[in-house]
Amino acid sequence: MRYTHALVRRPCARFASGLTQSTEGPPDLVRALAQHAAYCGALTELGIEVTPLPDAPDHPDGTFVEDTALCFKEFCVIARPGAPSRRGECASVAPALQRHYRRVLNIEEPGTLDGGDVCLAEDLLLIGHSARTNEAGARQLADIARAAGLKPHIIDIRASRALLHLKSGINYLGEGLFLLSSNAPAIPAIERFEHLVPDAAEDYAANALAVNGTVLIAAGYPRIGAALAARGRRTQPLDTSEFRKMDGGLTCLSLRF
Ligand code: GLY
């Protein structure tokens, strides 16, 4: 899939008061803003029109825009984040997506769903049932996906405590390749694909983002970079240290379509 657009949102002044289980200490806002600018620059270099969403000073997790919606070819779905503190983030995302999509669907109460729990791999749609995405939300998205001709699979990741979201450890990089963290659960639905599993020390970097022929990877995880290069994949490392401190990574910083 070739992406042409991305929505992003700068980290706000209250970025450090967002949700996190990380024990790495508070993020540095100046560094986070610089890393975010570099991320946007990388997307632009890859041929994507990057649209900044309005600053969201009341939503410290608002920079993790991927959790607020799902973008498909013909339609999008406004999500309903599982963390109550994040639900208000969707209000500014919906109008931005309405400018690009005629068909805008919604995850409805009592469903909750974070976009970070959803991974599209060809015609498969993996949906994580997580601490954020509940069964009702996962089923609503599965029904939408099935009606659109996709094959949804709901995967219970609640026992994989290191995975905040499905894509914290399960990412499809195109060309038949999944990048999986060492703690990802076994998923029979993806057995037909090639799997690249880093050693546990590089688990964080299993959250990588394939964009228009390049795999954006977190800087500082050389073995994943080498393994992808050995497969002929072009990689670009980006520093995500301040987002890691807030349980974020490369996928959740943008909504691509
Ligand atoms: N800090 C990202 C999240 O917990 O949703």
Side-chain angles (χ1 to χ4, degrees):
M1 176 191 305
R2 192 149 188 96
Y3 297 110
T4 54
H5 292 83
L7 302 183
V8 298
R9 179 158 23 223
R10 289 191 312 177
C12 72
R14 291 183 53 227
F15 179 50
S17 53
L19 302 169
T20 187
Q21 294 174 12
S22 165
T23 53
E24 293 178 36
D28 179 302
L29 180 60
V30 174
R31 286 186 71 188
L33 286 166
Q35 291 174 2
H36 193 262
Y39 176 85
C40 295
L43 293 180
T44 303
E45 286 289 314
L46 292 169
I48 293 183
E49 185 180 325
V50 177
T51 302
L53 291 163
D55 287 350
D58 294 334
H59 293 289
D61 286 303
T63 193
F64 301 122
V65 289
E66 184 185 58
D67 291 322
T68 61
L70 292 310
C71 294
F72 298 92
K73 198 165 172 220
E74 307 287 347
F75 63 95
C76 66
V77 182
I78 306 301
R80 189 164 180 271
S85 66
R86 299 201 56 189
R87 291 217 182 116
E89 294 171 25
C90 298
S92 56
V93 173
L97 287 175
Q98 278 157 2
R99 284 196 270 282
H100 295 275
Y101 286 96
R102 269 199 223 142
R103 192 160 170 243
V104 180
L105 306 174
N106 291 277
I107 298 297
E108 308 283 357
E109 197 176 352
T112 64
L113 184 124
D114 281 19
D117 278 320
V118 183
C119 177
L120 181 65
E122 313 299 341
D123 61 342
L124 286 184
L125 190 73
L126 305 180
I127 306 169
H129 179 186
S130 69
R132 299 286 178 86
T133 295
N134 67 14
E135 193 176 343
R139 284 187 187 281
Q140 285 178 37
L141 183 63
D143 288 345
I144 291 169
R146 210 174 286 110
L150 296 169
K151 295 178 185 147
H153 288 267
I154 297 175
I155 298 149
D156 191 341
I157 62 165
R158 289 173 296 171
S160 304
R161 301 192 76 82
L163 300 183
L164 170 64
H165 289 126
L166 181 101
K167 281 198 293 243
S168 303
I170 298 166
N171 286 278
Y172 183 61
L173 302 184
E175 300 175 30
L177 178 65
F178 265 94
L179 180 56
L180 304 169
S181 61
S182 64
N183 48 22
I187 305 174
I190 64 170
E191 273 168 8
R192 68 182 159 101
F193 295 92
E194 184 188 357
H195 297 174
L196 175 59
V197 185
D199 59 67
E202 295 208 353
D203 272 347
Y204 171 75
N207 181 255
L209 176 61
V211 180
N212 298 350
T214 293
V215 184
L216 301 179
I217 55 173
Y221 303 89
R223 291 190 291 281
I224 285 190
L228 289 170
R231 284 165 172 77
R233 303 297 294 266
R234 182 177 185 274
T235 60
Q236 181 173 352
L238 288 172
D239 194 352
T240 56
S241 64
E242 305 316 294
F243 299 107
R244 176 177 168 149
K245 291 173 185 170
M246 299 309 294
D247 288 345
L250 289 163
T251 58
C252 55
L253 287 173
S254 62
L255 261 174
R256 295 129 338 248
F257 50 97

